[in-house]
């Protein structure tokens, strides 16, 4: 299966269950692998035959601008539902991580695959 890769997408958002996480924006980092169906733009060279990664990124940015998520798991699932539903991806893997969330921890996150 061919995939589209989106790596190190950084978004400033409020995410988390603790009061400090609800008050101040934090940087999260997302990595996505988005599967493509059989015959697609690799053969036709047409944007209409693939998933427009610029639209996916814009949609994810809108999602985080409009909503607060308590858990990264729920945020990742919300992205998965949009990418599979609205963009028609048959498969995807998403990693969502907070940067430097705890002393001595560079990234802390979750990965889901649908």
């Amino acid at each position: 299966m061919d995939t589209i890769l989106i790596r190190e997408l950084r978004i400033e958002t409020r995410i988390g269950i603790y009061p400090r996480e609800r008050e101040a924006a934090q940087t999260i980092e997302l990595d996505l692998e988005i599967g493509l169906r059989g015959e697609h733009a690799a053969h036709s060279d047409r944007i209409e035959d693939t998933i427009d990664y610029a639209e996916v990124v814009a949609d994810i940015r809108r999602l985080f601008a409009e909503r607060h998520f308590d858990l990264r798991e729920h945020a990742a699932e919300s992205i998965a539902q949009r990418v599979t539903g609205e963009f028609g991806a048959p498969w995807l893997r998403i990693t969502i991580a907070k940067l430097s969330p705890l002393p001595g921890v560079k990234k802390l996150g979750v990965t889901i695959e649908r």
Side-chain angles (χ1 to χ4, degrees):
M1 175 181 298
D2 294 353
T3 59
I4 292 172
L5 300 176
I6 300 171
R7 294 281 187 245
E8 298 181 18
L9 170 59
R10 292 189 176 185
I11 298 174
E12 293 291 317
T13 190
R14 289 183 174 88
I15 185 168
I17 60 171
Y18 300 109
R20 69 180 182 282
E21 295 173 316
R22 292 176 174 271
E23 294 169 9
Q26 305 169 68
T27 302
I28 59 170
E29 185 176 273
L30 295 103
D31 289 329
L32 291 89
E33 295 178 47
I34 304 169
L36 299 171
R37 295 189 189 278
E39 297 293 320
H40 53 76
H43 301 285
S44 72
D45 201 26
R46 294 170 11 108
I47 189 68
E48 298 83 12
D49 295 333
T50 191
I51 295 172
D52 186 334
Y53 53 81
E55 288 183 20
V56 171
V57 169
D59 191 62
I60 291 170
R61 289 188 187 282
R62 265 191 310 278
L63 176 67
F64 282 99
E66 294 169 356
R67 292 187 58 185
H68 169 86
F69 293 98
D70 287 340
L71 301 175
R72 280 160 284 196
E73 292 87 345
H74 185 63
E77 182 63 32
S78 295
I79 294 167
Q81 289 175 1
R82 292 168 85 115
V83 174
T84 57
E86 294 178 29
F87 295 98
W91 172 89
L92 77 155
R93 177 181 296 130
I94 302 166
T95 298
I96 180 171
K98 289 183 181 179
L99 304 179
S100 302
L102 299 169
V105 177
K106 186 174 181 178
K107 293 181 186 178
L108 184 61
V110 298
T111 298
I112 67 166
E113 186 174 320
R114 301 289 181 261

